[in-house]
Amino acid sequence: MAKWVYTFGDGTAEGGAGDRSLLGGKGANLAEMCNLGLPVPPGFTITTEACNWYYANGQTFPDSFEADVTAALDHIAALTGRRFGDPEKLLLVSVRSGARASMPGMMDTVLNLGLNDATVEALAADSGDARFAYDSYRRFIQMYSNVVMDLDHEAFEEILEEEKARLGHDLDTALSAAEWQHVIGLYKAKVEEELGKPFPQDPHDQLWGAIGAVFSSWMNPRAITYRRLHNIPASWGTAVNVQAMVFGNMGETSATGVAFTRNPSTGEKVLYGEFLVNAQGEDVVAGIRTPQNITEQARIAAGSDKPSLQKLMPDAFASFMAISERLENHYRDMQDLEFTIERGKLWMLQTRSGKRTAKAALKIAVDMAAEGLISKEEAVARIDPASLDQLLHPTIDPKAERNVISVGLPASPGAATGEIVFSSDEAEEMRAIGKKVILVRVETSPEDIHGMHAAEGILTARGGMTSHAAVVARGMGKPCVSGAGSLRIDYKAGTMSALGTTFRKGDIVTIDGSTGQVLKGSVAMLQPELSGDFASIMEWADAIRRMTVRTNAETPADARMARSFGAEGIGLCRTEHMFFEGERVVAMREMILSDTEKERRAALDLLLPMQRSDFLELFEIMAGLPVTIRLLDPPLHEFLPKTEEEIEEVATAMDVSVDRLRQRTETLHEFNPMLGHRGCRLAVTYPEIAEMQARAIFEAAVEAGKRTGSPVVPEIMVPLVGLKEEFDFVKARIDAVARNVMDETGVEVEYLTGTMIELPRAALRADVIAESAEFFSFGTNDLTQTTFGISRDDAASFLEVYRQKGVMEQDPFVSIDVEGVGELVRIGAEKGRGARAGIKLGICGEHGGDPASIHFCEEVGLDYISCSPFRVPIARLAAAQAAVKSARKSS
Ligand code: PEP
Ligand code: MG
């Protein structure tokens, strides 16, 4: 028969720390603290299996359940000499939820359960403190009505505030027993008025009501949303903890508090916490009274004149400090503790691993490794890679007030403040006169590159996580919020409106690219800081990981930054991004809009020296490290001139009429540019483009080899290949140019020619393609787009609804869809290896910087991952964690 209830108390427990899935985090740790002999009020935990049974059986309880709970109440009675519902020997309990993973705010706690009109008198007599008894009773009515009977907390707060005002009291603690009695009367009347029935008086009814409420809370919308956001399966269920009450509100020798064993914001090894005298847990959180410091050291540092716990209750303080240290050593992690002191005696109510900032996480991990508490491998495993973002960009001070006007996608991390401008030219002009600006566009296009460069951050109303704005901003390391759909942008009027407020050019906003929030005005920021601890963890991670980490970079600035973040080469140089700016975009347009090969060659001649010098610089920066250069792959619409001025500019440069150019532009118009004339299709139709690029690469390689003294081995990558024939066609051109350059210069250059696998057909035919291709790089941006048939640029408008409606858990452009897109990657990798043993395999889509996707890459056995410069440290750490995980799996 299933065991639904586990008891604990007085130095023993039926469960322990290992029973987290059955007893929930709180229950397992309460049991563990008992096993350690720590002072924990006795109680019992109802298992998560009981919760699952409850849902599987039409929200009913199992047969033996009531008897089990009664037996467990007897267990508490045996240990305390008190009996639930017995006014002679009154036992009150607390009821708390506790899932396997901590889910703060899912369900509040019910304290003082068992009180009613009769037992409150017993409590008064028993404690010799009537004021305390009535205070406890009114708290219970308030909490129970709110948590179990769903009445608004505010309604009771209002009653209390009115009474305090009427009586002239500032603090709750000033109310006398009689005054609380009066408040209780008002509370009970409120309950009856709202629910049409009196407040439940039978303690057993109260208990079963609370147990049912905890179980039901598992399926409330708040909990469902929380689980969705944190990937917690509904099948885990929640446990319920029922525990004998101890009272922090039993007068001046009683108190309640919370503490972290180390500082959760800096990681410093000092106890950090606060407490309130004569109070219950919720008072600390409610912020009505200012809590006091626990240690003298903290009190002095805070300049507080209220006595510390150390001073006020030295004995309880000494036991608490000893227990804190013991728990931290036992769990080998920073603990978040809750305690109550009842008439001088300390009771522990909770311990769990404490939440911390990224900075604190690094310091704690490094310190604990130095203290010998954990290994370096464990230290590496303890850091959440995504949290490193907090350290790599200026971020909004968590203490700052946020006036949110809209929310979009967190497209590129970091925060930026500036005056809003609506065009890239304006951005440049303002920048030139020393102003900081946020570029606000409906969406961005290559014409906006100069504006994006000039701006502190980019905000768009449309576009997803792999839209132009998002990809380019990430590459630049600039904060970006994309797809903020509630913004109304009116270029003509020069306004942006949100939530009924209209913002004009020059008005200040702040964007938070880490959360997607758009805020009014400027907000206090914290600057990035690469501390020593950060470096240590990175070094330890590097020693563990198997995959190499490269970067996606095309500008020298990005390449340098990526190297400083530890990139081991370039995995993707998007050459089209090298033509977004100034003169180059005009030459690029000339090339695209040329009618004849002759015209095109003339335009290409202009582009060649620019490309060569770009590559030379990249080769020099990456001296000795691999550099993968991808041949041109622009969806053409990104480069076509749009405004009349742009058309005129290109017509003049090409010396053709505006009309002819307009006509040519119209001919090139595509309905589906993302699936149109791009990638290797461009090289097949206009081989001279690929030839120019190959020439630039080989000439630069020869020159860089001479300058650096070490030969450069370029990796040339052909994009958007579906057919082996496409690849062969382009490779033949590359090989011919290579031969020519080598003959001209008399220098032999070793090089590799490979392809991106970014179309389902390429993955399915990878064995055939690998006969010619010397490496593969999985382009999972396009592979996701083409596998799902969802446009990368238009996905944001409906994917969020998919997520909200539970149709799709994750945006597949953010975290790889392992089952579908991942399957194609797996097939591609296996087939590639089958045809060419040891073929070099990498990934360069946005997934290369996403920790969950990196775990998948490790599983498939890719050789390297490549991501935008700012994600390099995240990728290094995630790759190490993935290596540890897969080593564990195979051992
Ligand atoms: C890809 O498709 O995954 C890729 C890296 O190429 P791009 O994003 O430039 O299309
Ligand atoms: Mg692609």
Side-chain angles (χ1 to χ4, degrees):
M1 235 180 37
K3 181 170 169 59
W4 307 115
V5 174
Y6 284 67
T7 58
F8 57 82
D10 211 17
T12 58
E14 290 181 312
D19 298 312
R20 210 183 165 87
S21 12
L22 186 65
L23 303 181
K26 195 185 293 255
N29 288 335
L30 282 170
E32 187 74 2
M33 284 199 288
C34 279
N35 290 329
L36 291 173
L38 302 183
V40 174
F44 57 90
T45 302
I46 299 168
T47 67
T48 53
E49 280 173 5
C51 176
N52 289 335
W53 196 98
Y54 173 83
Y55 280 108
N57 293 277
Q59 310 203 6
T60 57
F61 298 121
D63 278 348
S64 58
F65 190 47
E66 197 174 334
D68 291 351
V69 169
T70 308
L73 285 168
D74 288 345
H75 163 84
I76 303 181
L79 292 180
T80 58
R82 299 173 170 279
R83 208 155 252 299
F84 189 63
D86 179 355
E88 298 299 309
K89 289 271 175 219
L90 185 61
L91 170 68
L92 300 179
V93 295
S94 65
V95 179
R96 296 177 162 100
S97 69
R100 195 191 304 188
S102 129
M103 292 175 62
M106 183 183 84
M107 161 151 164
D108 309 297
T109 298
V110 183
L111 300 179
N112 309 319
L113 190 136
L115 278 176
N116 57 25
D117 295 350
T119 55
V120 69
E121 305 299 338
L123 184 64
D126 202 19
S127 63
D129 187 344
R131 200 209 70 87
F132 150 75
Y134 291 113
D135 176 34
S136 302
Y137 189 24
R138 69 89 192 176
R139 286 170 187 270
F140 172 55
I141 297 175
Q142 200 165 341
M143 273 186 157
Y144 192 91
S145 303
N146 178 239
V147 174
V148 181
M149 304 193 297
D150 236 4
L151 289 185
D152 198 358
H153 193 73
E154 294 302 311
F156 298 98
E157 280 304 319
E158 260 168 42
I159 293 173
L160 179 55
E161 284 313 309
E162 272 169 29
E163 276 305 289
K164 272 158 68 180
R166 191 177 66 79
L167 299 163
H169 295 317
D170 281 339
L171 296 175
D172 292 2
T173 41
L175 271 75
S176 69
E179 286 164 352
W180 278 128
Q181 258 182 310
H182 182 65
V183 170
I184 287 164
L186 297 174
Y187 276 10
K188 286 199 298 185
K190 182 79 193 167
V191 171
E192 197 147 359
E193 176 193 322
E194 293 286 334
L195 299 179
K197 55 180 185 195
F199 185 81
Q201 290 289 313
D202 180 342
H204 287 93
D205 287 349
Q206 293 172 354
L207 179 61
W208 286 105
I211 293 171
V214 173
F215 281 172
S216 303
S217 72
W218 184 247
M219 288 297 174
N220 73 26
R222 237 180 334 158
I224 291 171
T225 309
Y226 189 92
R227 284 201 294 272
R228 182 168 60 73
L229 290 176
H230 295 84
N231 288 325
I232 298 172
S235 62
W236 282 7
T238 181
V240 187
N241 298 290
V242 180
Q243 218 176 347
M245 276 300 298
V246 287
F247 298 95
N249 56 338
M250 236 185 219
E252 293 304 309
T253 54
S254 300
T256 188
V258 292
F260 290 90
T261 54
R262 303 191 185 207
N263 184 318
S265 88
T266 63
E268 203 190 341
K269 193 180 177 183
V270 285
L271 186 103
Y272 178 94
E274 28 193 41
F275 75 103
L276 279 175
V277 176
N278 195 9
Q280 281 196 337
E282 81 271 16
D283 298 334
V284 181
V285 193
I288 306 163
R289 286 159 60 194
T290 312
Q292 291 156 247
N293 299 102
I294 292 184
T295 62
E296 261 305 275
Q297 193 191 349
R299 183 194 66 78
I300 294 163
S304 162
D305 55 7
K306 290 186 156 188
S308 64
L309 185 70
Q310 188 170 8
K311 203 62 183 219
L312 213 56
M313 304 180 189
D315 291 345
F317 170 79
S319 343
F320 179 68
M321 291 303 277
I323 288 173
S324 316
E325 200 180 318
R326 182 143 176 230
L327 284 171
E328 187 181 275
N329 285 330
H330 181 72
Y331 284 98
R332 303 186 312 129
D333 195 9
M334 183 256 268
Q335 296 295 295
D336 169 357
L337 308 165
E338 282 179 26
F339 64 93
T340 281
I341 298 167
E342 183 186 284
R343 292 189 169 157
K345 168 147 178 63
L346 172 73
W347 293 97
M348 296 304 297
L349 301 184
Q350 172 160 300
T351 188
R352 62 179 169 192
S353 284
K355 295 231 183 302
R356 60 206 82 177
T357 62
K359 187 174 166 201
L362 288 170
K363 179 160 176 54
I364 291 170
V366 171
D367 283 356
M368 286 191 167
E371 289 159 27
L373 213 52
I374 59 175
S375 68
K376 285 183 180 174
E377 192 178 288
E378 282 175 293
V380 166
R382 293 244 175 121
I383 312 296
D384 171 11
S387 74
L388 295 181
D389 246 5
Q390 293 174 21
L391 304 172
L392 295 168
H393 298 275
T395 45
I396 294 179
D397 187 337
K399 289 191 224 104
E401 201 178 304
R402 292 174 180 236
N403 187 346
V404 180
I405 54 172
S406 181
V407 179
L409 296 170
S412 180
T417 299
E419 300 183 19
I420 55 173
V421 292
F422 296 98
S423 82
S424 289
D425 290 344
E426 277 175 338
E428 245 182 357
E429 286 156 21
M430 302 274 279
R431 166 78 185 229
I433 56 168
K435 300 236 161 156
K436 289 188 185 318
V437 299
I438 301 291
L439 177 63
V440 180
R441 301 286 296 163
V442 174
E443 56 194 343
T444 62
S445 69
E447 285 95 284
D448 290 316
I449 297 296
H450 63 295
M452 294 173 79
H453 261 305
E456 301 300 308
I458 297 106
L459 169 60
T460 70
R462 272 214 291 264
M465 292 294 283
T466 57
S467 64
H468 179 266
V471 171
V472 175
R474 274 199 294 276
M476 289 179 179
K478 295 231 166 172
C480 172
V481 171
S482 67
S486 68
L487 290 182
R488 291 285 157 265
I489 296 169
D490 184 340
Y491 288 140
K492 262 210 192 115
T495 58
M496 162 182 109
S497 35
L499 286 184
T501 310
T502 302
F503 297 81
R504 289 171 204 292
K505 180 183 163 187
D507 287 349
I508 297 204
V509 300
T510 297
I511 58 168
D512 184 351
S514 309
T515 62
Q517 289 179 340
V518 184
L519 313 161
K520 186 175 174 178
S522 57
V523 185
M525 303 266 188
L526 300 177
Q527 287 310 310
E529 203 179 292
L530 297 195
S531 68
D533 298 322
F534 185 94
S536 303
I537 289 285
M538 283 294 121
E539 207 178 288
W540 299 349
D542 290 349
I544 295 169
R545 72 189 151 87
R546 180 190 61 78
M547 292 187 288
T548 13
V549 177
R550 301 196 196 178
T551 191
N552 295 356
E554 39 277 335
T555 67
D558 280 356
R560 272 194 207 100
M561 179 164 1
R563 278 217 65 178
S564 77
F565 286 152
E568 299 160 301
I570 292 181
L572 173 63
C573 166
R574 291 177 163 108
T575 51
E576 61 279 6
H577 285 200
M578 299 168 131
F579 296 106
F580 281 156
E581 277 176 278
E583 306 251 296
R584 293 177 168 211
V585 74
V586 180
M588 183 73 175
R589 285 184 176 138
E590 276 185 54
M591 194 272 288
I592 291 173
L593 291 164
S594 302
D595 259 342
T596 63
E597 188 179 329
K598 187 158 164 272
E599 278 177 5
R600 193 155 33 250
R601 286 202 184 269
L604 286 166
D605 284 345
L606 292 176
L607 294 171
L608 175 66
M610 302 175 192
Q611 280 269 265
R612 191 172 43 222
S613 68
D614 288 342
F615 295 148
L616 181 56
E617 213 171 342
L618 289 184
F619 287 145
E620 284 184 310
I621 295 168
M622 288 289 157
L625 298 173
V627 175
T628 307
I629 295 170
R630 183 177 72 184
L631 299 185
L632 211 57
D633 175 24
L636 277 189
H637 71 298
E638 288 192 4
F639 279 98
L640 292 179
K642 292 196 181 68
T643 64
E644 280 303 307
E645 280 155 30
E646 283 166 5
I647 294 180
E648 268 170 38
E649 189 182 14
V650 182
T652 314
M654 290 175 75
D655 200 17
V656 297
S657 74
V658 167
D659 275 351
R660 196 182 134 209
L661 196 74
R662 194 175 294 119
Q663 223 174 19
R664 175 81 181 139
T665 309
E666 277 160 20
T667 325
L668 288 176
H669 172 81
E670 292 177 310
F671 287 107
N672 249 330
M674 269 296 185
L675 299 178
H677 194 184
R678 60 177 282 224
C680 65
R681 297 158 201 169
L682 225 72
V684 172
T685 46
Y686 307 134
E688 53 278 11
I689 302 179
E691 285 167 9
M692 179 281 284
Q693 292 200 291
R695 176 162 284 277
I697 294 169
F698 290 113
E699 289 180 353
V702 169
E703 180 62 24
K706 280 186 199 154
R707 288 192 191 178
T708 61
S710 56
V712 175
V713 183
E715 298 179 0
I716 302 176
M717 184 151 78
V718 184
L720 222 71
V721 161
L723 302 162
K724 174 174 185 282
E725 290 74 8
E726 288 173 318
F727 182 77
D728 287 341
F729 180 94
V730 182
K731 183 169 188 295
R733 299 300 192 279
I734 296 169
D735 289 342
V737 172
R739 197 59 266 152
N740 286 343
V741 174
M742 290 191 255
D743 290 346
E744 286 158 25
T745 57
V747 179
E748 287 299 304
V749 178
E750 215 186 295
Y751 64 98
L752 295 175
T753 314
T755 184
M756 297 194 68
I757 302 289
E758 51 186 343
L759 294 175
R761 191 179 198 283
L764 297 172
R765 300 289 292 165
D767 45 351
V768 178
I769 293 171
E771 287 168 12
S772 306
E774 293 163 311
F775 66 87
F776 285 170
S777 178
F778 289 93
T780 46
N781 297 338
D782 275 310
L783 193 58
T784 301
Q785 165 169 264
T786 49
T787 301
F788 277 93
I790 292 177
S791 152
R792 306 160 55 162
D793 286 344
D794 304 309
S797 63
F798 53 88
L799 278 192
E800 188 44 36
V801 180
Y802 267 49
R803 271 165 55 86
Q804 280 164 8
K805 299 196 169 170
V807 174
M808 201 179 246
E809 279 195 359
Q810 271 277 1
D811 181 339
F813 290 102
V814 174
S815 203
I816 196 162
D817 155 49
V818 172
E819 290 157 6
V821 178
E823 186 60 18
L824 284 168
V825 171
R826 213 182 277 277
I827 291 170
E830 276 167 19
K831 290 196 165 213
R833 280 197 206 101
R836 184 183 286 269
I839 186 172
K840 203 192 296 192
L841 301 175
I843 186 171
C844 63
E846 292 304 310
H847 300 111
D850 167 63
S853 311
I854 291 170
H855 277 257
F856 168 75
C857 295
E858 173 70 30
E859 239 176 72
V860 185
L862 299 191
D863 300 300
Y864 70 87
I865 47 189
S866 188
C867 57
S868 53
F870 280 95
R871 297 199 80 84
V872 166
I874 296 170
R876 286 163 71 193
L877 180 60
Q881 294 179 349
V884 171
K885 194 167 151 202
S886 90
R888 280 214 193 104
K889 244 190 200 167
S890 56
S891 70

